Amino acid sequence: MIREYIRDQHGKVRFERLRQAENHLLRFIEIAGDRPLSEYRSPDVTAFAHELSERRRLSASTVNGHLSSLSALFNWAIAQKRHALAENPCSGCKLPAGAVIAEQRQQAAEKPFTHEQLRAFFEGDETRADFDMPYKYWVPLIQLHTGARIGEICQLEPKDIALLDNRIPAFRFVASTARGKSERRVPVHPKLIDLGLLAYIEGVSGLDTLWPGLIIPRLGSKGQNVGMWLSRHLERHGLKRSGRRTEAFRSTFQHYMRLAGVPELHINAILGHRDRKSAGTARKPLWATQPDALLNSLAKLDYEIEFCSYAGLVPAEH
């Protein structure tokens, strides 16, 4: 049936779109089973959409693309009047427009900063004046050079920067997940060392936080207060366009690491993404087995920006 439909559509639909539709229809047969068209019902289509969105984690717009291809097949079959079809089982089965809009907003929020936007944020006297507290200077820089979440950075203590393999300074990030807390180590980027991060950490070594003056909310996100400040700071520099979240430096890090040719395996290890191929297996993390490889990958990341030095005072009293 699919072959007959595709042959009939040749010359009526662009070749690329036709190939895409064929793949969509074959996926439906794979999931729903190969049956006569007249036997498919709306629950079959709903189950197909659920499989794509919930189990295979396809985007809302991609799922709707599959449903559109499937609906076109059923409409064609009804017009042929040869398949005992009275109505299209796809009617009303598309994911709601709100899901697609939310997805588009999410994509806009995670769009990486351009080099010009990064320069606008990190260079210049106006930026220097905004960094009147240590966390305002260091948190964006650490996120830009590690891809860590703001909340992970905000809860750092001086003891959370320690040596890997007794020689490589590294952050210890702790994240809360559905499976509990997860921990990963990320080598300190050489640029952060050049800017004086290790010296700053030494200056606050007697404190129970890396960020004196930063109030961590008891409830809600650990990075809530920094996030609100950063949002205002982005807006001040004309970078707070619709959808832009304050985790944008995380997606920027990922984007520029890929541009630098860093293996996806290393990027995922640094970001704390699970390796699906090794899910469920007891495998040591890369930071424990290949710290030099991760450091070398990080060292490939060069934004070619003249980051201003932090002009604030490190607390002298512990």
Side-chain angles (χ1 to χ4, degrees), residues 139 149-157 209-211 214 216 222-224 226-227:
V139 171
R149 300 171 183 86
I150 288 180
E152 295 173 339
I153 302 171
C154 288
Q155 57 188 330
L156 286 173
E157 300 179 15
T209 176
L210 206 56
W211 316 118
L214 173 61
I216 303 294
K222 301 294 185 183
Q224 176 179 321
V226 173

Side-chain angles (χ1 to χ4, degrees), residues 154-227:
C154 288
Q155 57 188 330
L156 286 173
E157 300 179 15
K159 65 181 181 181
D160 289 323
I161 291 80
L163 296 180
L164 276 179
D165 205 19
N166 293 317
R167 54 194 174 79
I168 300 175
F171 297 98
R172 172 182 173 268
F173 292 122
V174 177
S176 297
T177 69
R179 301 174 183 83
K181 290 189 175 182
S182 65
E183 175 185 321
R184 71 185 185 283
R185 307 294 176 97
V186 177
V188 178
H189 193 285
K191 174 59 70 174
L192 295 177
I193 296 176
D194 292 343
L195 291 171
L197 178 62
L198 297 186
Y200 169 78
I201 293 170
E202 179 65 25
V204 296
S205 59
L207 303 180
D208 59 0
T209 176
L210 206 56
W211 316 118
L214 173 61
I215 299 175
I216 303 294
R218 293 181 60 188
L219 301 175
S221 170
K222 301 294 185 183
Q224 176 179 321
N225 291 336
V226 173

Side-chain angles (χ1 to χ4, degrees), residues 121 135-136 139-140 150-151 154 214-217 219-236 240 244-247:
F121 185 90
Y135 68 84
K136 294 181 180 180
V139 171
I150 288 180
C154 288
L214 173 61
I215 299 175
I216 303 294
L219 301 175
S221 170
K222 301 294 185 183
Q224 176 179 321
N225 291 336
V226 173
M228 290 190 295
W229 164 79
L230 186 53
S231 180
R232 293 192 299 269
H233 191 64
L234 289 171
E235 186 172 8
R236 180 175 180 178
K240 186 65 174 70
R244 174 80 74 182
R245 296 186 311 174
T246 51
E247 298 287 9

Side-chain angles (χ1 to χ4, degrees), residues 122 127-128 131 137-138 141 194-196 306-312:
F122 286 103
T127 293
R128 189 189 304 269
F131 296 149
Y137 176 77
W138 287 114
L141 278 174
D194 292 343
L195 291 171
E306 293 294 329
F307 296 103
C308 63
S309 299
Y310 175 62

Side-chain angles (χ1 to χ4, degrees), residues 6-305:
I6 295 298
R7 281 198 302 268
D8 184 71
Q9 297 302 303
H10 271 296
K12 303 176 184 178
V13 181
R14 288 188 302 109
F15 177 75
E16 294 82 2
R17 177 69 185 92
L18 203 55
R19 285 288 300 274
Q20 183 184 56
E22 184 177 18
N23 289 334
H24 291 169
L25 298 175
L26 290 174
R27 184 168 288 170
F28 175 72
I29 296 299
E30 170 200 339
I31 293 173
D34 191 358
R35 291 179 266 160
L37 285 183
S38 59
E39 293 186 9
Y40 293 113
R41 300 290 184 267
S42 291
D44 297 312
V45 179
T46 301
F48 174 58
H50 184 271
E51 169 72 18
L52 295 180
S53 62
E54 299 300 324
R55 295 178 62 86
R56 305 201 181 189
R57 310 302 295 174
L58 298 185
S59 68
S61 56
T62 300
V63 173
N64 280 345
H66 281 71
L67 297 179
S68 178
S69 297
L70 189 59
S71 181
L73 169 66
F74 283 117
N75 283 336
W76 171 83
I78 291 172
Q80 294 290 310
K81 298 181 179 179
R82 293 191 290 110
H83 305 283
L85 269 175
E87 60 182 23
N88 189 334
C90 290
S91 297
C93 287
K94 282 193 174 183
L95 295 185
V100 179
I101 293 173
E103 175 185 282
Q104 291 171 341
R105 287 176 177 168
Q106 175 77 2
Q107 291 171 348
E110 295 179 349
K111 186 176 181 180
F113 287 110
T114 66
H115 184 255
E116 291 73 21
Q117 289 171 328
L118 289 174
R119 290 192 62 187
F121 185 90
F122 286 103
E123 293 182 353
D125 294 336
E126 184 180 356
T127 293
R128 189 189 304 269
D130 285 339
F131 296 149
D132 57 351
M133 294 291 288
Y135 68 84
K136 294 181 180 180
Y137 176 77
W138 287 114
V139 171
L141 278 174
I142 292 174
Q143 187 177 52
L144 190 65
H145 288 87
T146 65
R149 300 171 183 86
I150 288 180
E152 295 173 339
I153 302 171
C154 288
Q155 57 188 330
L156 286 173
E157 300 179 15
K159 65 181 181 181
D160 289 323
I161 291 80
L163 296 180
L164 276 179
D165 205 19
N166 293 317
R167 54 194 174 79
I168 300 175
F171 297 98
R172 172 182 173 268
F173 292 122
V174 177
S176 297
T177 69
R179 301 174 183 83
K181 290 189 175 182
S182 65
E183 175 185 321
R184 71 185 185 283
R185 307 294 176 97
V186 177
V188 178
H189 193 285
K191 174 59 70 174
L192 295 177
I193 296 176
D194 292 343
L195 291 171
L197 178 62
L198 297 186
Y200 169 78
I201 293 170
E202 179 65 25
V204 296
S205 59
L207 303 180
D208 59 0
T209 176
L210 206 56
W211 316 118
L214 173 61
I215 299 175
I216 303 294
R218 293 181 60 188
L219 301 175
S221 170
K222 301 294 185 183
Q224 176 179 321
N225 291 336
V226 173
M228 290 190 295
W229 164 79
L230 186 53
S231 180
R232 293 192 299 269
H233 191 64
L234 289 171
E235 186 172 8
R236 180 175 180 178
H237 288 274
L239 302 177
K240 186 65 174 70
R241 65 173 180 265
S242 176
R244 174 80 74 182
R245 296 186 311 174
T246 51
E247 298 287 9
F249 290 126
R250 179 173 166 87
S251 57
T252 298
F253 168 84
Q254 184 177 34
H255 173 71
Y256 281 86
M257 287 284 277
R258 286 170 174 165
L259 289 182
V262 175
E264 201 70 21
L265 181 66
H266 289 187
I267 297 175
N268 288 338
I270 293 169
L271 290 174
H273 292 168
R274 296 187 69 201
D275 182 3
R276 294 182 180 179
K277 294 181 180 179
S278 61
T281 62
R283 179 180 296 182
K284 287 187 176 181
L286 282 181
W287 56 260
T289 59
Q290 302 180 39
D292 288 290
L294 289 186
L295 178 59
N296 291 337
S297 287
L298 277 169
K300 294 180 180 179
L301 180 67
D302 183 2
Y303 292 103
E304 299 181 351
I305 291 175

